[in-house]
Amino acid sequence: WFKPGCPSDKTPSSAEEVIGKPGRVGGFVRPRQSMPISDRAYKQGGGEYTYKAVGAAEGMAHEHAEAVPRSECMGVVGVLCTWLNILLVFVPLGIASHHLEWGSAATFSCNFVAIVPLAGILGAATESLSTHVGQMIGGLLNATFGNAVEMIVTINAIRAGLVGVVQGSLLGSILSNLLLVLGMAFFAAGLRMKESTFNSTGASANMSCLTLSSIALGLPTIYSNLPGTNFSDMLMISRISSVVIAIVYLLFLWFQLVTHADMFGDDEEEEEQAAMSACTSIMVLFGATCVVAICSEYLVDSIEGVSEEYGLPKAFIGVILLPIVGNAAEHVTAVTAAAKGKMNLSLGVAIGSSTQIALFVVPFSVVVGWLYDVPMSLDFRVFDSTVLILSVFIVSIVLHDGASNWLEGAMLVATYILIAIICWFIPEDPDLAGAHHHGHHPEL
């Protein structure tokens, strides 16, 4: 508190402002004109002794400046240095197995195991970010990074003319997030507590957007099955509709982040110490997402070889298996967050990702097809459109009261299992990897 040589050995409290009186060197007296404690120093001159504490505020600020990088490093070390991350050794093994052609089974196994620790890192970075920006927005950012990777994969698939594969995988991503991930999250939270609450206002806004997207996908499909219609008109309808719903998603983001941001805040803000700063959390999230993208790509590439060995139907692979495996890390993040009681974060990942895919990635893929002159449309199969509408319907019912329990989670998972069973028995479509699902509109 005092510079060396100060005659007093008493320490002032931080709340007091004190100054020595001429001739007095022992104790402190209330001054006639006080100085802030950070401005006092011991000095001797003119027959006066004045006590000046060495700046407490400056000292604390200096220590804090040194502590921030130290705590930041400790936060990153805490996220990366866990027993589970020993499995990160499978990341280079998975990449090597793809390039060295060790076989589909080896590539699948190595990359699948590699995604497990990466999922843990993604989850930790998302939780840290959510302490800075809120759980719902943190989940949205997590979904955005994941879907950015999916958009890159979508562009490559559309350039290759694999419209059916793109449609199946996008629908599967929406369904897996809406039913499987959300159901498992509700079930995991239900094991922890009797009933979990969440921000029903934010969830209902997302569900309204999903209802719009299901209508946008359903109408072109219905139109294409009307007598006397042609594929070129339906394609133009899809492209115009895609622009409309993409604009709606941008308006929804403005609504969520700017004009009605308070509606998407956490109902019960918990004071929680962030492991990392917002900037560091985003960097870790971005880096982990890039590695997950590489492992997921090799994992997805190996599925076809593995499925042929075991005779899995293509519809089952496209709608069920690919989305689950490709988004495994994101799914684990949502379920883990729910198990810790962070329901808004879990909903931000699951519902936020579904909304983003339905209202942005799907129309984005149609526009990309337009640019590359590939007939990518919103004309999904009747089965696909019906399943999406019914899924949005049941999820809306589950979310309307702002509370969840394990039974509701079990119902959502059961719905997903029913869809998976139907996909297993869907007959092989020879045009699944081609330009269009239907054979009755070959002309452009």
Side-chain angles (χ1 to χ4, degrees):
W1 283 91
F2 290 95
K3 286 187 176 180
C6 177
S8 175
D9 58 353
K10 293 189 178 182
T11 303
S13 69
S14 58
E16 292 180 309
E17 291 184 348
V18 292
I19 186 171
K21 195 174 182 181
R24 288 284 305 272
V25 294
F28 293 92
V29 295
R30 186 173 298 278
R32 290 185 298 271
Q33 185 178 3
S34 61
M35 288 182 172
I37 197 168
S38 60
D39 289 341
R40 284 186 304 254
Y42 172 74
K43 66 178 180 179
Q44 185 175 4
E48 293 189 19
Y49 289 93
T50 305
Y51 299 90
K52 188 164 186 209
V54 175
E58 286 121 351
M60 291 174 64
H62 180 68
E63 290 177 5
H64 178 70
E66 292 182 347
V68 168
R70 192 182 305 125
S71 63
E72 193 78 3
C73 292
M74 291 302 294
V76 175
V77 169
V79 170
L80 298 180
C81 297
T82 63
W83 287 107
L84 184 63
N85 287 349
I86 293 175
L87 296 177
L88 287 173
V89 69
F90 283 94
V91 172
L93 288 176
I95 296 172
S97 66
H98 174 79
H99 291 286
L100 299 179
E101 299 180 356
W102 292 352
S104 298
T107 303
F108 181 90
S109 302
C110 289
N111 284 288
F112 189 83
V113 175
I115 283 179
V116 174
L118 291 169
I121 295 173
L122 275 175
T126 303
E127 287 183 29
S128 176
L129 184 61
S130 69
T131 61
H132 297 284
V133 299
Q135 293 186 20
M136 192 70 79
I137 304 301
L140 175 65
L141 289 171
N142 176 280
T144 301
F145 279 115
N147 290 333
V149 174
E150 189 151 345
M151 288 168 72
I152 296 172
V153 175
T154 297
I155 292 173
N156 293 330
I158 289 176
R159 290 177 63 185
L162 305 177
V163 173
V165 173
V166 171
Q167 289 179 327
S169 64
L170 291 177
L171 174 74
S173 295
I174 297 172
L175 295 179
S176 63
N177 278 297
L178 270 185
L179 300 174
L180 180 64
V181 179
L182 194 61
M184 291 178 65
F186 282 174
F187 191 83
L191 297 178
R192 179 179 177 271
M193 59 181 66
K194 188 174 182 180
E195 190 175 69
S196 302
T197 58
F198 51 84
N199 185 341
S200 59
T201 307
S204 64
N206 277 278
M207 293 312 299
S208 298
C209 291
L210 280 169
T211 304
L212 170 66
S213 70
S214 63
I215 293 173
L217 264 64
L219 291 179
T221 303
I222 295 171
Y223 174 83
S224 68
N225 286 277
L226 293 175
T229 59
N230 59 74
F231 182 68
S232 59
D233 288 345
M234 189 278 301
L235 191 59
M236 183 54 63
I237 290 172
S238 297
R239 289 167 175 173
I240 296 172
S241 301
S242 296
V243 174
V244 172
I245 59 177
I247 292 173
V248 170
Y249 183 69
L250 296 178
L251 294 176
F252 171 68
L253 286 181
W254 184 261
F255 178 86
Q256 181 179 15
L257 302 176
V258 181
T259 63
H260 291 69
D262 55 314
M263 288 174 52
F264 295 86
D266 301 338
D267 292 336
E268 296 179 3
E269 291 285 351
E270 297 179 1
E271 289 295 330
E272 185 178 351
Q273 185 66 32
M276 299 176 288
S277 67
C279 182
T280 305
S281 300
I282 291 176
M283 290 174 63
V284 172
L285 191 61
F286 176 76
T289 301
C290 291
V291 180
V292 166
I294 296 171
C295 293
S296 296
E297 183 181 355
Y298 295 154
L299 187 66
V300 168
D301 288 344
S302 66
I303 283 181
E304 188 171 355
V306 173
S307 63
E308 286 178 358
E309 295 178 13
Y310 295 96
L312 301 179
K314 279 188 169 56
F316 182 83
I317 296 170
V319 178
I320 304 298
L321 202 56
L322 286 180
I324 291 178
V325 172
N327 301 319
E330 192 175 296
H331 295 175
V332 172
T333 300
V335 177
T336 305
K340 294 179 180 179
K342 299 181 178 181
M343 291 304 299
N344 287 324
L345 177 58
S346 180
L347 284 171
V349 174
I351 303 296
S353 180
S354 297
T355 305
Q356 195 171 70
I357 292 172
L359 281 186
F360 188 73
V361 180
V362 170
F364 170 81
S365 65
V366 174
V367 173
V368 168
W370 194 357
L371 295 175
Y372 285 103
D373 198 25
V374 175
M376 172 69 190
S377 70
L378 297 179
D379 179 15
F380 286 45
R381 291 178 297 191
V382 175
F383 170 77
D384 295 344
S385 300
T386 305
V387 161
L388 179 59
I389 293 172
L390 294 176
S391 299
V392 170
F393 174 70
I394 188 174
V395 174
S396 298
I397 293 175
V398 169
L399 295 179
H400 83 282
D401 60 348
S404 67
N405 52 59
W406 64 265
L407 179 60
E408 292 177 336
M411 289 191 296
L412 293 179
V413 174
T415 305
Y416 190 76
I417 292 173
L418 291 175
I419 295 171
I421 292 171
I422 299 295
C423 288
W424 183 275
F425 288 98
I426 289 179
E428 289 289 323
D429 187 348
D431 295 329
L432 184 64
H436 194 257
H437 281 302
H438 308 289
H440 62 283
H441 286 319
E443 74 280 352
L444 284 175

